[in-house]
Amino acid sequence: MSADSPAAAIRARAPELPVLILSGHAEAHYATTLLRLGASGYLNKDCDPEQICTAVRTVGEGVVTFSGWQNGYGNVVQVQHSGNRSTVYAHLSRI
């Protein structure tokens, strides 16, 4: 993945437009890289259809305020919603 990825290209032309990636790659490093390059969300094509609906609603109404690694939590994405609400999605690396 590079800065000339579709997510980066869309962000360059329309920074306010949310970008949700639906990919055949299940490996976490693809998601982490694309989120860092400007994607608002990332799903594997093998996910449950309800996850797609949740992701579309979340990305459509919120702004990603953090995506990356946090010790103890692993890969984390935080979405800020209207009304001073936020949602955090994490892959727990340990409990």
Side-chain angles (χ1 to χ4, degrees), residues 37-53:
L37 290 172
S40 304
Y42 183 96
L43 292 172
N44 180 269
K45 288 181 180 177
D46 294 331
C47 71
D48 186 281
E50 184 58 34
Q51 288 177 301
I52 296 172
C53 294

Side-chain angles (χ1 to χ4, degrees), residues 14-70:
E16 72 288 347
L17 184 68
V19 178
L20 178 61
I21 303 292
L22 185 61
S23 174
H25 299 287
E27 296 84 8
H29 71 274
Y30 287 106
T32 303
T33 300
L34 284 165
L35 289 168
R36 191 174 56 248
L37 290 172
S40 304
Y42 183 96
L43 292 172
N44 180 269
K45 288 181 180 177
D46 294 331
C47 71
D48 186 281
E50 184 58 34
Q51 288 177 301
I52 296 172
C53 294
T54 300
V56 168
R57 282 191 299 273
T58 300
V59 167
E61 80 166 24
V63 175
V64 175
T65 56
F66 176 83
S67 66
W69 178 267
Q70 287 189 348

Side-chain angles (χ1 to χ4, degrees), residues 66-88:
F66 176 83
S67 66
W69 178 267
Q70 287 189 348
N71 289 336
Y73 295 102
N75 293 316
V76 173
V77 175
Q78 181 173 358
V79 179
Q80 185 68 42
H81 307 281
S82 62
N84 219 11
R85 298 177 299 119
S86 64
T87 305
V88 177

